[in-house]
Amino acid sequence: MSNDTVSKPGVTVLASKISKIYVEEISSKVNAIKNIRPNGPLLVGFLANDDPAAEMYASWTKKTSEDMGFRYELRRIDEKDFLEEAIIETNRDRQVDGIMVYYPVFGNAQDQYLQQVVAKEKDVEGMNHVYYQNMYHNIRYLDSENTIKSILPCTPLAIVKILEYLKVYNSLLPQGNRLYGKKCVVVNRSEIVGRPLAALLANDGAIVYSVDVDNVQKFTRGEGLKFKKHHVEDLGGFSADLLKQCCSEADVIVTGVPSESYKFPTEFIKEGAVCINFSSNKNFDESVKSKASLYVPMTGKVTISMLLRNMLRLIENSEKSKNP
Amino acid sequence: MSNDTVSKPGVTVLASKISKIYVEEISSKVNAIKNIRPNGPLLVGFLANDDPAAEMYASWTKKTSEDMGFRYELRRIDEKDFLEEAIIETNRDRQVDGIMVYYPVFGNAQDQYLQQVVAKEKDVEGMNHVYYQNMYHNIRYLDSENTIKSILPCTPLAIVKILEYLKVYNSLLPQGNRLYGKKCVVVNRSEIVGRPLAALLANDGAIVYSVDVDNVQKFTRGEGLKFKKHHVEDLGGFSADLLKQCCSEADVIVTGVPSESYKFPTEFIKEGAVCINFSSNKNFDESVKSKASLYVPMTGKVTISMLLRNMLRLIENSEKSKNP
């Protein structure tokens, strides 16, 4: 063991490495449906902004999809106002199996409207309201006969898969309780990623501190509730002190702050914590490596694997609906 | 004619007066369905905040509903986190015909999630995504056989009805073009009211300047588009000068700024314009009366009539689904 290993014991784990474990599974499934999709399933991505991060994400999606036997088509929309109609046309196009949109488009609540325009049968990102609502309530199927599986929103799902890879999920514990005893901090409470992620982790047994600019909430599994649903408690308005206190025992810190200037305070990180950033901005600076045991600087490539898995499940659902 | 009438020719029109024209229509419809709802249809309102405006709106809803033969039940939810489950239970309760929620609950994007939790069959406010999407595309029915009617979001609908009452809609023009030649300014571009309202007015032939803190957009009917859908053009970032310019020819100014301190600049109002405020804060100060021909200071009571009409339509839909 070198001195360097002892003084900087932390390891950086790249999303590209984690996503590799899904290559075989996904490719072989694509191969198995060659009878119904001889040219490979078709994913359409809509890009209506000039965000370089979205552009990069689009090129990764293309490469990953094509590597695994999918077809990928990027459709650029110059006038944002035309995107809705383009999505509606694609919803109806039988040649297309999956649709994704590179957000932000309008960068405000109108984006939440757009998410619901994508037909849930082609919504590979799992952003339809029905998928979120099922996720919050641990409902696994879309139909009452339990044959059509619900899917999970792909970024929160990717972070769960990353935590499994990093062995934060302990496979010796029973399924559904594998984060028992773990404390997590999630800095972001968007409806897209932060709030669903906090709920997913709480439902797996963790205590989760969900942090946004306004306040801090504590998510736990709500055993006593009528529905299988996490419990949320307000801990108070946001302050650096409160964040520091939540972090003092946190085994996991997940950040998703969409700001170039934001940096998570390294001094708040507990020695040996696992740190994951899902923002397209680097929310941790280099000093994170002096504190974190495992550090995942970006998550996009795992997210792409998850959306390709979702797409395969949607195709399976669509075949089941045709031949019940 | 007194001097006063000449010097201050403007007339204030109260929503209570406008809503009266719906009393007979609604009451007689409630009476006509006594065979299927002997005790009157049941509307449940959920109140999970301590906003005095919401409290007042709730007491108006109760009074108006009961006056017209509905039953109304206000359910107070102390812990916001329990509201979702209360809604889901009420979705399933066959005794309940309509559900409404007094917003804001969380005051952020989570409210948009909640809106989608209300079953569309009981969503008297017309907030389900399918109602908004149908509205934007001028789709009137929920089914392909054109038997189950879609409803309209109740606040934008109320403002349209107010403009009809005020004769801004010209009934000599063909339906669907009765705002032809009119210019409207809408100060608010929320997904709930401002954006749908701008689209509704544009679809009826108006030129609409939609204003929010970020920018100004021009909505017009988009004849050339594949879908029947309004067209949106960005006019640039918000500035007082741009607002002034849009107002200089505006026949109608509608405001909905959720701020106590905000006051629309009276000097921007064209002599004789129609001014309507749908915010629970007074967005116009008293001087509006020196400029406006017709001034509607609040719209809530018309909104309540619209939601009761929506509820009757939902009951009709539900009966049709049972006995097609």
Side-chain angles (χ1 to χ4, degrees), chain A residues 185-212:
Chain A
V185 169
V186 178
V187 188
N188 170 302
R189 202 187 302 126
S190 66
E191 285 300 294
I192 309 307
V193 188
R195 191 167 77 91
L197 175 63
L200 280 172
L201 302 180
N203 275 334
D204 282 333
I207 291 173
V208 185
Y209 298 103
S210 166
V211 179
D212 77 359

Side-chain angles (χ1 to χ4, degrees), chain A residues 255-304:
Chain A
T255 58
V257 181
S259 151
E260 249 183 76
S261 59
Y262 177 82
K263 295 293 168 198
F264 188 89
T266 305
E267 63 274 23
F268 289 2
I269 304 171
K270 190 182 76 166
E271 198 77 44
V274 168
C275 293
I276 300 172
N277 168 55
F278 68 81
S279 166
S280 57
N281 302 112
K282 289 206 167 181
N283 288 173
F284 294 101
D285 66 26
E286 286 301 305
S287 65
V288 64
K289 296 175 189 169
S290 65
K291 285 292 208 58
S293 59
L294 298 164
Y295 166 52
V296 182
M298 290 174 106
T299 59
K301 290 189 177 173
V302 181
T303 301
I304 294 168

Side-chain angles (χ1 to χ4, degrees), chain B residues 145-190:
Chain B
E145 291 81 27
N146 288 1
T147 57
I148 310 291
K149 280 189 183 162
S150 200
I151 62 171
L152 288 169
C154 62
T155 302
L157 175 61
I159 294 165
V160 164
K161 292 296 174 184
I162 289 169
L163 289 170
E164 285 179 1
Y165 181 91
L166 300 177
K167 316 270 185 212
V168 176
Y169 275 74
N170 188 331
S171 60
L172 293 175
L173 291 170
Q175 189 107 41
N177 207 25
R178 290 184 169 166
L179 290 178
Y180 177 66
K182 294 286 193 295
K183 289 186 175 151
C184 307
V185 169
V186 178
V187 188
N188 171 301
R189 203 186 302 124
S190 66

Side-chain angles (χ1 to χ4, degrees), chain A residues 9 13 29 45 73-74 105 109 121 141-142 201 207 250 279 284 288 299 301:
Chain A
V13 183
K29 278 196 179 160
E73 220 180 282
L74 182 65
V105 175
E121 292 77 12
Y141 293 92
L142 291 171
L201 302 180
I207 291 173
S279 166
F284 294 101
V288 64
T299 59
K301 290 189 177 173

Side-chain angles (χ1 to χ4, degrees), chain A residues 125-231:
Chain A
E125 297 182 277
M127 285 189 167
N128 192 284
H129 177 80
V130 73
Y131 297 134
Y132 277 108
Q133 188 169 335
N134 282 350
M135 183 215 72
Y136 283 120
H137 298 285
N138 268 325
I139 295 172
R140 307 283 170 94
Y141 293 92
L142 291 171
D143 59 336
S144 50
E145 291 81 28
N146 289 1
T147 56
I148 310 291
K149 279 189 184 163
S150 200
I151 63 172
L152 288 169
C154 62
T155 303
L157 175 61
I159 295 164
V160 164
K161 292 295 175 186
I162 289 169
L163 289 170
E164 284 179 1
Y165 181 91
L166 300 177
K167 315 269 185 214
V168 177
Y169 275 73
N170 188 330
S171 60
L172 293 174
L173 289 170
Q175 189 107 42
N177 207 26
R178 290 184 170 165
L179 290 178
Y180 178 66
K182 293 288 194 295
K183 289 186 176 152
C184 307
V185 169
V186 178
V187 188
N188 170 302
R189 202 187 302 126
S190 66
E191 285 300 294
I192 309 307
V193 188
R195 191 167 77 91
L197 175 63
L200 280 172
L201 302 180
N203 275 334
D204 282 333
I207 291 173
V208 185
Y209 298 103
S210 166
V211 179
D212 77 359
V213 285
D214 290 327
N215 66 357
V216 178
Q217 297 181 331
K218 183 178 172 180
F219 284 54
T220 47
R221 191 200 282 121
E223 309 253 21
L225 296 184
K226 281 168 219 155
F227 297 93
K228 273 182 153 187
K229 186 176 176 280
H230 61 279
H231 177 71

